[in-house]
Amino acid sequence: MEKRTARLTLLIDPRKKALFEQLCTEEDVTPSQKVRQLIREYIEQKAGQDWQAHLSKHDKSGT
């Protein structure tokens, strides 16, 4: 289970935000759930399926 303790704030065009919220509602997910999914998929695409191991290496090295 992922810990949800960090906050990400971003600026977005109000029309895109409204459409994003509408599409999320149609999928029966919250905008936060969808953003977490998109971030997770991006990380897996860039760092691979074992991204958590990749993250652990950075934690140990301090970078």
Side-chain angles (χ1 to χ4, degrees):
M1 177 60 106
E2 295 177 359
K3 293 181 183 179
R4 297 187 186 123
T5 58
R7 181 176 305 268
L8 176 67
T9 303
L10 60 113
L11 299 175
I12 186 171
D13 177 82
R15 295 171 299 161
K16 288 179 185 173
K17 179 182 180 282
L19 181 55
F20 181 69
E21 291 172 334
Q22 177 185 340
L23 294 170
C24 288
T25 299
E26 291 173 10
E27 285 188 32
D28 195 29
V29 296
T30 66
S32 291
Q33 288 171 318
K34 182 53 76 173
V35 169
R36 285 192 297 269
Q37 175 191 350
L38 294 169
I39 291 172
R40 187 171 44 252
E41 289 172 357
Y42 177 77
I43 289 171
E44 288 174 358
Q45 177 187 22
K46 295 294 187 178
Q49 293 290 325
D50 62 344
W51 64 270
Q52 290 177 329
H54 181 77
L55 186 61
S56 296
K57 291 177 188 175
H58 286 285
D59 288 344
K60 291 176 184 173
S61 68
T63 58

